[in-house]
Amino acid sequence: MIPVSIQIRQALDRLWFPAMLLLSIATILLGWADQRATVAARMAVADVLSPLWSLVATPGDEMSAALSELRGIGHLAQENARLRSENETLRGWYDVAISLTQENATLKENLHWMPDPVPSFVTARVVGDIGGLYSHAVLINAGPDSGVRVGNIALAADGFAGRVTETGHHSARVLLINDVASRIPVMLESSHGTAIMAGDNSPMPRLMFYAQDNHPVEGERVVTSGQGDLLPGGLPVGTVHYIRAATPIVMPYARLDHLHILRVFDFETETIDAPDAPGRVPVAPQRGHMAKHNNPMEGMTLDGVVGGMTGHQDDRPIQTSAPHREETPAPADTAPASSPEDQGEATPVMPSSPLPSGRG
Amino acid sequence: MTANPGSSWHRNQDSSVALAQRLDRLARRLLPGGITALVIVLLAAPTGFPAATALLPGLVMASVFFWSVWRPASMSAPIVFGLGLLMDLVGFASPGVDAFVFLLLHGIAVHARFGLMRLNFLGMWCIFAVLGSAACWLLWFLISLLAFRPMPLAPVVFECLLAIGVYPLLAAAGTWAHHRLANPEPQS
């Protein structure tokens, strides 16, 4: 220590506080302005701490496994009976599955079905619950070394859990579907509606922007819709539940508060690009045509989109979609983000403006 | 260089004892901040500890407040800043927000410490309840401001209650440590 007089030391001590306060304000502003540096700093800290966290997590996992085993011993007879009956049911389903698989294979062969690319995946352990109070995210102990990239899909054992938003060297952050920043396009399986599943930091994300004449049905399955090219379609997400009238939420299959192991899939969805359409009719007259209608928003509903996709047209004649279908054979300008299967039918009624008839 | 205070004939005995003593004092001085940092890191691990994320801000606030009042040398402004920054980076919050709020709490506690030290435990607890709640709401306000959207309110209430509830436990442990472990000049 450098010998200094007491007065100087006291003055220096008094200076520390305002200096640190200014430094913290500067950190807030800098971190806010330069998000990339913030992400780098966070991932560096996470990279350093993730081995420690996995060390800490291991005894906890073992203890909870031992506890659940102990608890299971008490109910062995009951459990055995339950499993036996479940096994009988499952054997029936097994036969059904075998025959359906064979039928499916035959049909696909006859149709010259283009098989989906098999996604590669990495299984990683959740080593950190780094969400904090105002966000929900987990840290996994796999990074770009193992092939995890930003935008990959994380699935828990039961269903869709989240997406990789940041990667370090050997760790990655997965933003969960119940985070307030999460917006996932979903498809409702039995009512064939689409909606946006929006997280609100509660355990169950809400459904927004569904068609007003096609409400989600209580208890129906929710899967990803595959629109927007970020996610493949058909990943199981959860079931619809109404907590109040007109407030549908999704009860996720994945246990988002007790995630232990995640499979991170690389679906390579960004490789699907809509082809250019040389010589097609320009979009400008189409907009004028739209404006001539009394209600220019007519036909821009999710229902119209879904009707177009599924061939489920309702009785109400949708005037805007039928002529457009002939005028615009390929939708490269209006909606470059749509997948190839629903081109031509769904896209003329899917403008880039927000969907007006839905609500949250 | 031999740090053996028990041997009697080393010529540099005095300086080595002084060095050991100095290291010992430094370790005791850094103990509160170190333990708080360790708690921040450990509570972020998936230990299955219930409500760990809501408990953490209250725990750190209680620690900062307690040590700022009773031993400001152990919880100086740079240490408070470091703890806040660590919490921001570990918790993926906007960096600096926690540091700023904790520094304000620390500043108030240090400024009013001679008044606060004269209060009994209940009085201290009441003061902390007010300051901690204010800090939780300020944290909520800053995070909402930086995210451009109001964050849900229910977690803040929960966070405040946990902060108030955890203070007596921390104060009991802290009082014991204050007299024994973290004391740079033990009486014995």
Side-chain angles (χ1 to χ4, degrees):
Chain A
M1 266 191 195
I2 309 153
V4 282
S5 72
I6 292 175
Q7 283 86 359
I8 294 176
R9 198 183 294 172
Q10 277 179 343
L12 277 177
D13 279 353
R14 238 174 275 140
L15 264 181
W16 270 120
F17 177 66
M20 285 296 137
L21 210 57
L22 282 179
L23 188 61
S24 68
I25 294 171
T27 314
I28 293 176
L29 292 178
L30 274 179
W32 188 65
D34 190 356
Q35 297 283 340
R36 203 177 298 162
T38 314
V39 169
R42 284 167 179 168
M43 288 320 295
V45 172
D47 267 347
V48 171
L49 290 177
S50 69
L52 180 73
W53 280 331
S54 35
L55 255 182
V56 174
T58 315
D61 282 354
E62 276 168 12
M63 204 145 82
S64 64
L67 272 179
S68 70
E69 204 164 294
L70 270 180
R71 225 174 286 141
I73 287 173
H75 310 287
L76 266 185
Q78 280 176 20
E79 191 73 4
N80 226 350
R82 193 182 65 78
L83 284 178
R84 212 169 281 145
S85 71
E86 192 178 321
N87 206 10
E88 274 165 27
T89 324
L90 285 180
R91 206 166 286 151
W93 277 113
Y94 176 75
D95 292 338
V96 174
I98 290 283
S99 66
L100 281 180
T101 312
Q102 276 171 358
E103 188 186 333
N104 222 347
T106 326
L107 289 175
K108 279 180 178 174
E109 200 173 319
N110 288 341
L111 285 170
H112 300 290
W113 174 267
M114 183 91 68
D116 286 334
V118 179
S120 61
F121 72 95
V122 183
T123 306
R125 185 183 285 279
V126 172
V127 292
D129 188 359
I130 49 175
L133 206 53
Y134 299 103
S135 66
H136 289 266
V138 293
L139 192 79
I140 55 172
N141 64 350
D145 306 349
S146 340
V148 174
R149 289 184 300 135
V150 171
N152 284 4
I153 312 298
L155 298 186
D158 312 322
F160 184 41
R163 285 174 44 212
V164 174
T165 51
E166 284 130 23
T167 53
H169 286 295
H170 34 79
S171 61
R173 180 180 184 245
V174 176
L175 190 77
L176 300 182
I177 52 175
N178 59 348
D179 185 273
V180 78
S182 165
R183 299 281 184 279
I184 307 287
V186 292
M187 170 97 145
L188 309 167
E189 236 178 22
S190 48
S191 68
H192 295 292
T194 53
I196 297 287
M197 182 176 68
D200 56 357
N201 278 358
S202 71
M204 290 155 197
R206 288 180 308 147
L207 281 178
M208 294 163 70
F209 303 126
Y210 49 85
Q212 285 302 292
D213 49 359
N214 188 11
H215 282 267
V217 180
E218 167 83 35
E220 73 177 316
R221 256 167 63 94
V222 178
V223 297
T224 55
S225 79
Q227 284 181 6
D229 259 8
L230 286 170
L231 293 167
L235 301 176
V237 177
T239 51
V240 173
H241 174 58
Y242 278 87
I243 40 170
R244 281 187 299 277
T247 314
I249 56 158
V250 178
M251 297 206 293
Y253 290 129
R255 296 172 64 205
L256 296 174
D257 47 348
H258 296 286
L259 291 173
H260 284 302
I261 285 174
L262 286 177
R263 286 171 298 157
V264 182
F265 283 83
D266 191 356
F267 285 102
E268 296 174 356
T269 38
E270 73 272 25
T271 55
I272 302 175
D273 271 330
D276 291 335
R280 62 182 284 273
V281 181
V283 187
Q286 179 196 350
R287 282 201 191 117
H289 177 75
M290 295 281 270
K292 275 179 207 157
H293 284 276
N294 293 335
N295 179 8
M297 295 298 183
E298 191 184 3
M300 289 188 183
T301 60
L302 272 175
D303 186 51
V305 176
V306 174
M309 273 173 69
T310 55
H312 242 271
Q313 298 287 7
D314 53 6
D315 298 329
R316 183 167 53 92
I318 299 176
Q319 294 172 345
T320 47
S321 69
H324 287 182
R325 202 174 291 168
E326 293 155 18
E327 280 175 25
T328 57
D333 291 0
T334 47
S338 68
S339 64
E341 303 136 48
D342 53 28
Q343 278 175 17
E345 284 193 34
T347 44
V349 289
M350 193 171 68
S352 52
S353 63
L355 299 162
S357 76
R359 60 164 300 280
Chain B
M1 288 305 134
T2 52
N4 185 3
S7 59
S8 54
W9 55 272
H10 279 293
R11 271 195 300 166
N12 57 354
Q13 181 193 3
D14 284 349
S15 72
S16 72
V17 166
L19 181 71
Q21 228 171 26
R22 205 176 276 179
L23 281 179
D24 182 53
R25 242 181 245 179
L26 187 72
R28 284 170 191 270
R29 176 172 284 192
L30 290 181
L31 195 71
I35 288 183
T36 313
L38 196 68
V39 166
I40 292 175
V41 170
L42 287 187
L43 274 187
T47 44
F49 198 77
T53 50
L55 180 65
L56 186 57
L59 206 57
V60 179
M61 278 174 202
S63 171
V64 165
F65 180 77
F66 181 88
W67 292 107
S68 299
V69 170
W70 291 105
R71 201 177 288 285
S74 288
M75 192 56 80
S76 57
I79 293 180
V80 175
F81 177 77
L83 288 176
L85 200 64
L86 177 70
M87 211 171 126
D88 286 328
L89 290 177
V90 164
F92 275 66
S94 313
V97 173
D98 276 316
F100 178 71
V101 173
F102 292 163
L103 275 171
L104 284 186
L105 185 70
H106 162 79
I108 293 171
V110 169
H111 189 73
R113 65 182 288 249
F114 292 109
L116 287 171
M117 277 159 83
R118 248 178 274 135
L119 292 172
N120 59 5
F121 170 73
L122 270 180
M124 281 275 279
W125 193 9
C126 289
I127 298 282
F128 175 74
V130 173
L131 288 179
S133 304
C136 289
W137 285 104
L138 181 63
L139 213 54
W140 174 83
F141 174 75
L142 285 176
I143 289 174
S144 301
L145 190 73
L146 288 174
F148 290 121
R149 78 182 117 196
M151 291 291 167
L153 294 173
V156 194
V157 179
F158 190 43
E159 185 190 6
C160 287
L161 290 178
L162 279 179
I164 296 168
V166 85
Y167 181 75
L169 291 177
L170 195 125
T175 309
W176 179 80
H178 170 54
H179 291 304
R180 304 281 170 80
L181 226 53
N183 191 351
E185 276 112 26
Q187 298 304 312
S188 60

